[in-house]
Amino acid sequence: MEGIPANEQVASPRRAPTQQRSRERVERMLAAASALIAEQGSDAMRMGEVAERAGVSIGSLYQFFPDKRAIVWALAERYTAESQACISATLADVSDAEGLRRAFSELVDIYYRLFLAEPVMRDIWSGTQADKALRQLELADSRANAAFLVAVLKRLRPGADPVSLETTAFLVWQMGEAAMRLAISVDREEGDRLVAVYKRMALRELLGE
């Protein structure tokens, strides 16, 4: 998984397609699963429904996804890769404190909007708390994202203890995950306030203010 160090990676429970035709079939399966999760949640989704909507046999579905958990895992991997690419690009050119304020605030707002608008992401995110392996995937993702922050902090605070920077960045990112879960579980006005407070708290820690 791009962006996550080898020692932090968690083995995927699904078989990866190698041929173009197989990749296209898997894409249809994942698209069908996403639609069903958006409609009824992952708990209610059934493998037979995924196969029927994707236009494939149930045997073909099981060939790549041995169970429903493997489908959820594949979708989680996809969102993880997309989020890491976004974070890396947004933070890459940050060179001063004001730039970090803008970039970090933008990333938090992007995540907040995504989780307000995307039921599949919300469903997967909440499901990680009950699945130990998915929780490990989320932690590995948080460490990878924290590493992007650490690279910025080392440029802005070259005299700071690197272990302290790594610990702060990792904690800030994990607190962000919790803040997002809380913000989308309450009404929008309160959620907006919670996100704004989180951004202020996180930036104070990151900038050592």
Side-chain angles (χ1 to χ4, degrees):
M1 193 181 314
E2 184 178 355
I4 295 179
N7 64 343
E8 293 288 353
Q9 291 184 15
V10 183
S12 173
R14 73 184 182 95
R15 173 190 165 195
T18 57
Q19 299 181 346
Q20 179 64 25
R21 182 178 298 178
S22 296
R23 287 195 291 270
E24 292 172 353
R25 190 157 63 244
V26 166
E27 285 300 315
R28 294 204 308 274
M29 296 173 189
L30 291 177
S34 291
L36 288 166
I37 292 173
E39 292 169 10
Q40 60 193 31
S42 59
D43 288 343
M45 181 181 71
R46 297 291 177 264
M47 296 292 278
E49 293 177 309
V50 176
E52 181 179 1
R53 185 167 296 201
V56 301
S57 68
I58 190 68
S60 182
L61 177 65
Y62 279 120
Q63 181 183 3
F64 293 99
F65 301 101
D67 52 30
K68 184 170 63 174
R69 176 176 170 273
I71 295 177
V72 174
W73 186 292
L75 292 171
E77 286 182 319
R78 174 165 298 182
Y79 287 128
T80 293
E82 291 173 354
S83 69
Q84 287 185 22
C86 175
I87 293 161
S88 176
T90 302
L91 295 176
D93 297 325
V94 173
S95 59
D96 56 32
E98 187 54 38
L100 179 57
R101 290 182 189 280
R102 289 196 302 270
F104 185 81
S105 181
E106 177 186 347
L107 285 171
V108 172
D109 289 342
I110 288 172
Y111 267 69
Y112 186 36
R113 288 195 299 269
L114 279 174
F115 280 91
L116 283 170
E118 182 53 79
V120 178
M121 292 180 71
R122 291 201 302 271
D123 189 280
I124 291 172
W125 208 0
S126 63
T128 62
Q129 303 311 297
D131 188 313
K132 183 177 180 180
L134 277 176
R135 178 62 177 158
Q136 291 301 312
L137 179 65
E138 182 193 45
L139 285 173
D141 180 42
S142 289
R143 290 192 187 278
N145 293 333
F148 297 133
L149 269 178
V150 171
V152 175
L153 295 178
K154 286 181 177 178
R155 294 197 295 269
L156 303 187
R157 301 167 58 188
D161 174 32
V163 175
S164 177
L165 294 181
E166 291 167 6
T167 302
T168 297
F170 182 45
L171 180 58
V172 162
W173 211 271
Q174 279 297 110
M175 288 173 61
E177 305 275 6
M180 290 299 120
R181 286 191 178 95
L182 179 59
I184 63 175
S185 68
V186 299
D187 65 75
R188 180 61 185 274
E189 184 178 353
E190 185 178 12
D192 289 352
R193 293 198 304 270
L194 290 168
V195 170
V197 170
Y198 164 70
K199 286 193 288 187
R200 291 196 299 271
M201 292 171 59
L203 283 167
R204 282 199 299 268
E205 286 300 315
L206 292 172
L207 294 171
E209 297 175 345

